[in-house]
Amino acid sequence: MNRKIRKNKKVLVELKCVKKVFGKKHKQVIAINNLSFKLYEGENVALIGANGAGKTTTVEMIMGINKPTQGRVIYSLSEKSSKRKHNLDLGIQFQDSIYPQYIYVKDIVNFIINAYNISIDEKTLEGLVKAFKVDNFYTHRANSLSGGQSQRLNILLAFLHKPKLVFLDELSTGLDITTRNDFKKFIKDYAIKNNITIVLISHDSGEIMSLTDKIIILKNGSIVKEVKTKDFKNINELEKFIELNIN
């Protein structure tokens, strides 16, 4: 990522001995088991693991979509956090989104602006829509979008309110190579400029190398490895490490 990280880093979110159990009695499944880690301001993290490792459940608990069975999720995102909901400082790009059948893309964007009470002028909004490559289908109905177009819209919505912490789920899904490379550079620069910290859920080693400073590998709901991205000389070395540790 190559962003300078302060020695005295501010903790944005802390998970403390978090456990998540689904089901009841004899049919219980432990999705997250005694999970503890901190997300620091300005330190982008790749959260990776095989299917069922607990990545999505972890993000859902941080977002407040799911509550831990045990343990705590502690927020210190904003200096005014006691006077505002922490979710105003969080953003998330879902891999899959379903929008009402007849709604237009521009109306979805305006809904988010109103929901978060975002102060943004028309020129700035126009620039963001263009930067996130949403401009060529901005007046289209949402249900007419291709997979790649939906992905670009989802990413724009995640960043629109300039959250302190944003979760990106499989960023490159549906994007062509040119758009993918443009997005990595733009998102990297945009995050630095607006002091946004990224948590990336991805199987793309190129994304991980470009966008993150640290890698957390989950297995069976627990951390098995936590390493610095800069420790890897190239993508091939990173891919071998991931393959060795996620299965």
Side-chain angles (χ1 to χ4, degrees):
M1 180 67 182
N2 299 323
R3 169 161 55 179
K4 188 175 181 180
I5 303 169
R6 297 194 304 263
K7 289 184 179 179
N8 298 321
K9 298 176 290 186
K10 177 184 176 182
V11 177
L12 297 177
V13 177
E14 179 181 2
L15 275 71
K16 218 168 186 179
C17 302
V18 169
K19 184 175 183 178
K20 182 63 183 179
V21 179
F22 292 103
K24 296 181 180 179
K25 295 183 179 179
H26 302 297
K27 295 183 179 179
Q28 287 187 343
V29 175
I30 300 174
I32 300 297
N33 191 16
N34 197 33
L35 186 63
S36 296
F37 66 85
K38 297 176 181 178
L39 297 173
Y40 294 95
E41 183 178 47
E43 184 178 63
N44 293 344
V45 173
L47 191 63
I48 62 177
N51 291 337
K55 304 184 299 295
T56 299
T57 302
T58 299
V59 172
E60 287 177 349
M61 286 191 294
I62 294 173
M63 290 296 300
I65 299 170
N66 256 321
K67 291 184 178 180
T69 306
Q70 294 177 13
R72 297 174 65 199
V73 180
I74 304 166
Y75 303 92
S76 54
L77 290 156
S78 171
E79 292 177 0
K80 300 178 181 177
S81 58
S82 61
K83 296 181 180 179
R84 61 186 294 189
K85 292 183 179 180
H86 67 260
N87 59 9
L88 295 179
D89 284 325
L90 295 171
I92 187 167
Q93 165 255 317
F94 292 105
Q95 190 176 350
D96 300 306
S97 295
I98 299 174
Y99 298 107
Q101 187 173 3
Y102 297 109
I103 195 168
Y104 289 94
V105 170
K106 64 178 182 179
D107 293 330
I108 295 171
V109 172
N110 284 320
F111 172 80
I112 295 297
I113 289 171
N114 292 327
Y116 283 98
N117 195 24
I118 301 169
S119 179
I120 187 169
D121 60 72
E122 198 65 35
K123 187 176 180 181
T124 302
L125 177 59
E126 186 179 324
L128 277 178
V129 168
K130 188 173 182 180
F132 281 94
K133 300 184 183 295
V134 175
D135 52 318
N136 63 341
F137 56 87
Y138 192 57
T139 58
H140 294 189
R141 294 188 189 275
N143 65 337
S144 72
L145 304 184
S146 67
Q149 289 172 332
S150 292
Q151 185 76 333
R152 276 137 57 190
L153 173 59
N154 294 339
I155 297 166
L156 167 64
L157 298 179
F159 280 98
L160 193 58
H161 62 295
K162 295 181 181 177
K164 292 286 185 183
L165 182 65
V166 65
F167 295 90
L168 301 177
D169 187 1
E170 299 297 347
L171 177 66
S172 295
T173 300
L175 304 181
D176 59 75
I177 293 174
T178 302
T179 302
R180 188 181 307 171
N181 291 334
D182 289 346
F183 257 48
K184 282 190 290 189
K185 184 180 185 310
F186 173 74
I187 287 173
K188 178 178 178 179
D189 294 341
Y190 188 81
I192 292 172
K193 181 180 178 182
N194 293 284
N195 196 28
I196 298 171
T197 301
I198 293 170
V199 175
L200 181 70
I201 300 172
S202 179
H203 292 89
D204 188 312
S205 299
E207 280 181 7
I208 295 169
M209 289 284 284
S210 298
L211 293 173
T212 69
D213 306 292
K214 186 168 72 175
I215 299 167
I216 295 175
I217 297 182
L218 294 180
K219 190 173 183 178
N220 299 324
S222 300
I223 295 175
V224 292
K225 292 285 182 179
E226 191 169 337
V227 296
K228 298 291 185 181
T229 311
K230 66 180 182 180
D231 291 343
F232 300 95
K233 297 176 183 177
N234 52 54
I235 290 176
N236 289 335
E237 191 176 297
L238 174 59
E239 286 178 343
K240 288 178 183 178
F241 173 81
I242 292 172
E243 186 177 354
L244 183 66
N245 286 282
I246 66 171
N247 296 316

Short mmCIF file of all heavy atoms in Angstrom, two decimals, residues 201-236:
data_model
loop_
_atom_site.label_atom_id
_atom_site.label_comp_id
_atom_site.label_asym_id
_atom_site.label_seq_id
_atom_site.Cartn_x
_atom_site.Cartn_y
_atom_site.Cartn_z
N ILE A 201 -11.71 -8.16 1.45
CA ILE A 201 -11.94 -9.61 1.38
C ILE A 201 -11.73 -10.00 -0.07
O ILE A 201 -12.48 -9.56 -0.96
CB ILE A 201 -13.35 -9.98 1.84
CG1 ILE A 201 -13.57 -9.53 3.29
CG2 ILE A 201 -13.60 -11.48 1.70
CD1 ILE A 201 -14.99 -9.67 3.76
N SER A 202 -10.70 -10.78 -0.33
CA SER A 202 -10.33 -11.00 -1.73
C SER A 202 -9.55 -12.30 -1.92
O SER A 202 -8.83 -12.75 -1.02
CB SER A 202 -9.50 -9.82 -2.24
OG SER A 202 -9.10 -10.02 -3.57
N HIS A 203 -9.70 -12.89 -3.10
CA HIS A 203 -8.87 -14.01 -3.53
C HIS A 203 -7.85 -13.56 -4.58
O HIS A 203 -7.11 -14.36 -5.12
CB HIS A 203 -9.75 -15.13 -4.13
CG HIS A 203 -10.62 -15.81 -3.12
ND1 HIS A 203 -11.89 -15.36 -2.80
CD2 HIS A 203 -10.39 -16.89 -2.34
CE1 HIS A 203 -12.42 -16.16 -1.89
NE2 HIS A 203 -11.54 -17.09 -1.59
N ASP A 204 -7.85 -12.25 -4.85
CA ASP A 204 -6.97 -11.69 -5.88
C ASP A 204 -5.68 -11.19 -5.24
O ASP A 204 -5.67 -10.17 -4.53
CB ASP A 204 -7.70 -10.54 -6.59
CG ASP A 204 -6.93 -10.01 -7.80
OD1 ASP A 204 -5.73 -9.75 -7.67
OD2 ASP A 204 -7.56 -9.85 -8.86
N SER A 205 -4.58 -11.89 -5.49
CA SER A 205 -3.30 -11.53 -4.88
C SER A 205 -2.81 -10.17 -5.32
O SER A 205 -2.15 -9.46 -4.56
CB SER A 205 -2.24 -12.60 -5.21
OG SER A 205 -2.63 -13.85 -4.71
N GLY A 206 -3.14 -9.78 -6.56
CA GLY A 206 -2.76 -8.46 -7.05
C GLY A 206 -3.43 -7.35 -6.26
O GLY A 206 -2.80 -6.34 -5.92
N GLU A 207 -4.70 -7.53 -5.94
CA GLU A 207 -5.43 -6.56 -5.11
C GLU A 207 -4.80 -6.47 -3.72
O GLU A 207 -4.60 -5.38 -3.18
CB GLU A 207 -6.90 -7.00 -4.95
CG GLU A 207 -7.78 -6.67 -6.11
CD GLU A 207 -9.21 -7.12 -5.85
OE1 GLU A 207 -9.54 -7.56 -4.73
OE2 GLU A 207 -10.01 -7.03 -6.78
N ILE A 208 -4.52 -7.62 -3.16
CA ILE A 208 -3.96 -7.67 -1.82
C ILE A 208 -2.62 -6.95 -1.77
O ILE A 208 -2.35 -6.14 -0.86
CB ILE A 208 -3.81 -9.13 -1.34
CG1 ILE A 208 -5.20 -9.78 -1.20
CG2 ILE A 208 -3.06 -9.20 -0.01
CD1 ILE A 208 -5.16 -11.28 -0.99
N MET A 209 -1.76 -7.20 -2.77
CA MET A 209 -0.45 -6.55 -2.82
C MET A 209 -0.58 -5.05 -3.01
O MET A 209 0.18 -4.27 -2.43
CB MET A 209 0.38 -7.15 -3.97
CG MET A 209 0.86 -8.57 -3.74
SD MET A 209 2.26 -8.70 -2.58
CE MET A 209 3.61 -8.15 -3.61
N SER A 210 -1.53 -4.63 -3.83
CA SER A 210 -1.67 -3.21 -4.18
C SER A 210 -2.33 -2.38 -3.09
O SER A 210 -1.98 -1.22 -2.88
CB SER A 210 -2.50 -3.04 -5.47
OG SER A 210 -1.85 -3.65 -6.55
N LEU A 211 -3.30 -2.97 -2.39
CA LEU A 211 -4.18 -2.18 -1.54
C LEU A 211 -3.98 -2.36 -0.04
O LEU A 211 -4.52 -1.58 0.75
CB LEU A 211 -5.64 -2.48 -1.88
CG LEU A 211 -6.12 -2.05 -3.26
CD1 LEU A 211 -7.54 -2.57 -3.51
CD2 LEU A 211 -6.10 -0.53 -3.40
N THR A 212 -3.24 -3.38 0.39
CA THR A 212 -3.21 -3.65 1.83
C THR A 212 -1.80 -3.60 2.43
O THR A 212 -0.80 -3.73 1.73
CB THR A 212 -3.84 -5.03 2.15
OG1 THR A 212 -3.01 -6.08 1.65
CG2 THR A 212 -5.22 -5.14 1.54
N ASP A 213 -1.79 -3.42 3.74
CA ASP A 213 -0.55 -3.39 4.51
C ASP A 213 -0.37 -4.65 5.35
O ASP A 213 0.75 -5.00 5.71
CB ASP A 213 -0.57 -2.18 5.47
CG ASP A 213 -0.84 -0.88 4.73
OD1 ASP A 213 0.01 -0.46 3.95
OD2 ASP A 213 -1.93 -0.29 4.94
N LYS A 214 -1.48 -5.30 5.66
CA LYS A 214 -1.44 -6.47 6.54
C LYS A 214 -2.42 -7.52 6.05
O LYS A 214 -3.46 -7.20 5.48
CB LYS A 214 -1.77 -6.05 7.98
CG LYS A 214 -1.63 -7.16 9.00
CD LYS A 214 -1.68 -6.63 10.43
CE LYS A 214 -3.04 -6.19 10.86
NZ LYS A 214 -3.10 -5.79 12.29
N ILE A 215 -2.08 -8.78 6.30
CA ILE A 215 -2.93 -9.89 5.90
C ILE A 215 -3.29 -10.71 7.14
O ILE A 215 -2.42 -11.10 7.91
CB ILE A 215 -2.20 -10.81 4.89
CG1 ILE A 215 -1.85 -10.02 3.62
CG2 ILE A 215 -3.06 -12.02 4.54
CD1 ILE A 215 -0.87 -10.73 2.72
N ILE A 216 -4.60 -10.91 7.32
CA ILE A 216 -5.10 -11.78 8.39
C ILE A 216 -5.75 -12.99 7.73
O ILE A 216 -6.68 -12.84 6.93
CB ILE A 216 -6.11 -11.05 9.29
CG1 ILE A 216 -5.43 -9.89 10.05
CG2 ILE A 216 -6.75 -12.02 10.28
CD1 ILE A 216 -6.39 -9.05 10.86
N ILE A 217 -5.26 -14.18 8.06
CA ILE A 217 -5.83 -15.40 7.51
C ILE A 217 -6.68 -16.09 8.56
O ILE A 217 -6.21 -16.38 9.67
CB ILE A 217 -4.74 -16.36 7.00
CG1 ILE A 217 -3.96 -15.71 5.85
CG2 ILE A 217 -5.35 -17.68 6.53
CD1 ILE A 217 -2.89 -16.59 5.24
N LEU A 218 -7.94 -16.32 8.20
CA LEU A 218 -8.87 -17.02 9.09
C LEU A 218 -9.04 -18.48 8.67
O LEU A 218 -9.04 -18.80 7.47
CB LEU A 218 -10.24 -16.34 9.06
CG LEU A 218 -10.37 -14.93 9.62
CD1 LEU A 218 -11.81 -14.45 9.49
CD2 LEU A 218 -9.92 -14.85 11.06
N LYS A 219 -9.18 -19.32 9.67
CA LYS A 219 -9.48 -20.73 9.42
C LYS A 219 -10.34 -21.24 10.56
O LYS A 219 -9.97 -21.08 11.74
CB LYS A 219 -8.17 -21.54 9.34
CG LYS A 219 -8.37 -22.96 8.85
CD LYS A 219 -7.01 -23.63 8.62
CE LYS A 219 -7.16 -25.03 8.06
NZ LYS A 219 -5.84 -25.65 7.80
N ASN A 220 -11.49 -21.79 10.23
CA ASN A 220 -12.43 -22.28 11.25
C ASN A 220 -12.76 -21.22 12.30
O ASN A 220 -12.89 -21.50 13.48
CB ASN A 220 -11.87 -23.53 11.94
CG ASN A 220 -11.65 -24.67 10.97
OD1 ASN A 220 -12.43 -24.86 10.03
ND2 ASN A 220 -10.59 -25.42 11.18
N GLY A 221 -12.88 -19.97 11.82
CA GLY A 221 -13.30 -18.88 12.69
C GLY A 221 -12.23 -18.32 13.60
O GLY A 221 -12.53 -17.54 14.50
N SER A 222 -10.98 -18.70 13.39
CA SER A 222 -9.87 -18.21 14.20
C SER A 222 -8.74 -17.72 13.30
O SER A 222 -8.62 -18.14 12.15
CB SER A 222 -9.34 -19.30 15.14
OG SER A 222 -10.35 -19.75 16.01
N ILE A 223 -7.88 -16.86 13.84
CA ILE A 223 -6.72 -16.39 13.10
C ILE A 223 -5.62 -17.43 13.15
O ILE A 223 -5.23 -17.89 14.22
CB ILE A 223 -6.20 -15.05 13.67
CG1 ILE A 223 -7.23 -13.94 13.49
CG2 ILE A 223 -4.88 -14.65 13.01
CD1 ILE A 223 -6.85 -12.61 14.13
N VAL A 224 -5.12 -17.81 11.97
CA VAL A 224 -4.01 -18.76 11.91
C VAL A 224 -2.70 -18.07 11.51
O VAL A 224 -1.62 -18.55 11.83
CB VAL A 224 -4.30 -19.94 10.95
CG1 VAL A 224 -5.41 -20.81 11.52
CG2 VAL A 224 -4.67 -19.46 9.55
N LYS A 225 -2.81 -16.94 10.79
CA LYS A 225 -1.63 -16.19 10.39
C LYS A 225 -1.97 -14.71 10.34
O LYS A 225 -3.06 -14.32 9.96
CB LYS A 225 -1.11 -16.62 9.01
CG LYS A 225 -0.52 -18.03 8.94
CD LYS A 225 0.87 -18.08 9.57
CE LYS A 225 1.46 -19.48 9.44
NZ LYS A 225 2.81 -19.57 10.01
N GLU A 226 -0.99 -13.88 10.70
CA GLU A 226 -1.12 -12.43 10.59
C GLU A 226 0.25 -11.89 10.17
O GLU A 226 1.20 -11.96 10.94
CB GLU A 226 -1.56 -11.84 11.93
CG GLU A 226 -1.98 -10.39 11.86
CD GLU A 226 -2.66 -9.91 13.14
OE1 GLU A 226 -3.20 -10.76 13.89
OE2 GLU A 226 -2.64 -8.69 13.37
N VAL A 227 0.35 -11.38 8.95
CA VAL A 227 1.64 -10.97 8.39
C VAL A 227 1.53 -9.63 7.68
O VAL A 227 0.43 -9.20 7.30
CB VAL A 227 2.19 -12.03 7.39
CG1 VAL A 227 2.48 -13.34 8.08
CG2 VAL A 227 1.20 -12.24 6.24
N LYS A 228 2.67 -8.99 7.47
CA LYS A 228 2.74 -7.74 6.72
C LYS A 228 2.83 -8.05 5.23
O LYS A 228 3.57 -8.94 4.81
CB LYS A 228 3.97 -6.93 7.13
CG LYS A 228 3.98 -6.51 8.60
CD LYS A 228 2.91 -5.49 8.90
CE LYS A 228 3.01 -4.99 10.34
NZ LYS A 228 1.95 -4.02 10.66
N THR A 229 2.07 -7.31 4.44
CA THR A 229 2.08 -7.52 2.98
C THR A 229 3.46 -7.25 2.41
O THR A 229 3.90 -7.92 1.47
CB THR A 229 1.05 -6.59 2.30
OG1 THR A 229 -0.20 -6.69 2.99
CG2 THR A 229 0.85 -6.98 0.85
N LYS A 230 4.19 -6.29 2.97
CA LYS A 230 5.50 -5.92 2.44
C LYS A 230 6.54 -7.03 2.61
O LYS A 230 7.62 -6.99 2.00
CB LYS A 230 6.01 -4.65 3.12
CG LYS A 230 6.31 -4.80 4.60
CD LYS A 230 6.80 -3.49 5.20
CE LYS A 230 7.14 -3.66 6.69
NZ LYS A 230 7.61 -2.38 7.27
N ASP A 231 6.21 -8.06 3.41
CA ASP A 231 7.14 -9.18 3.60
C ASP A 231 7.25 -10.06 2.36
O ASP A 231 8.15 -10.90 2.28
CB ASP A 231 6.70 -10.03 4.80
CG ASP A 231 6.87 -9.31 6.13
OD1 ASP A 231 7.61 -8.30 6.15
OD2 ASP A 231 6.26 -9.73 7.12
N PHE A 232 6.33 -9.88 1.40
CA PHE A 232 6.33 -10.70 0.20
C PHE A 232 6.96 -9.93 -0.96
O PHE A 232 6.60 -8.78 -1.22
CB PHE A 232 4.91 -11.15 -0.16
CG PHE A 232 4.27 -11.96 0.93
CD1 PHE A 232 3.45 -11.35 1.87
CD2 PHE A 232 4.52 -13.31 1.05
CE1 PHE A 232 2.88 -12.07 2.90
CE2 PHE A 232 3.95 -14.05 2.07
CZ PHE A 232 3.13 -13.43 3.00
N LYS A 233 7.89 -10.57 -1.65
CA LYS A 233 8.63 -9.91 -2.73
C LYS A 233 7.78 -9.73 -3.98
O LYS A 233 7.95 -8.77 -4.72
CB LYS A 233 9.88 -10.72 -3.07
CG LYS A 233 10.88 -10.80 -1.93
CD LYS A 233 12.05 -11.70 -2.31
CE LYS A 233 13.03 -11.85 -1.14
NZ LYS A 233 14.14 -12.78 -1.48
N ASN A 234 6.88 -10.67 -4.23
CA ASN A 234 6.07 -10.61 -5.45
C ASN A 234 4.77 -11.38 -5.24
O ASN A 234 4.56 -12.03 -4.21
CB ASN A 234 6.85 -11.17 -6.64
CG ASN A 234 7.43 -12.55 -6.37
OD1 ASN A 234 6.70 -13.46 -5.98
ND2 ASN A 234 8.75 -12.69 -6.55
N ILE A 235 3.91 -11.31 -6.26
CA ILE A 235 2.59 -11.96 -6.19
C ILE A 235 2.72 -13.47 -6.08
O ILE A 235 1.97 -14.11 -5.33
CB ILE A 235 1.75 -11.56 -7.42
CG1 ILE A 235 1.36 -10.07 -7.33
CG2 ILE A 235 0.48 -12.40 -7.51
CD1 ILE A 235 0.63 -9.55 -8.53
N ASN A 236 3.66 -14.07 -6.80
CA ASN A 236 3.83 -15.52 -6.76
C ASN A 236 4.15 -16.01 -5.35
O ASN A 236 3.62 -17.02 -4.88
CB ASN A 236 4.93 -15.97 -7.72
CG ASN A 236 4.53 -15.84 -9.17
OD1 ASN A 236 3.33 -15.87 -9.49
ND2 ASN A 236 5.49 -15.70 -10.06
#
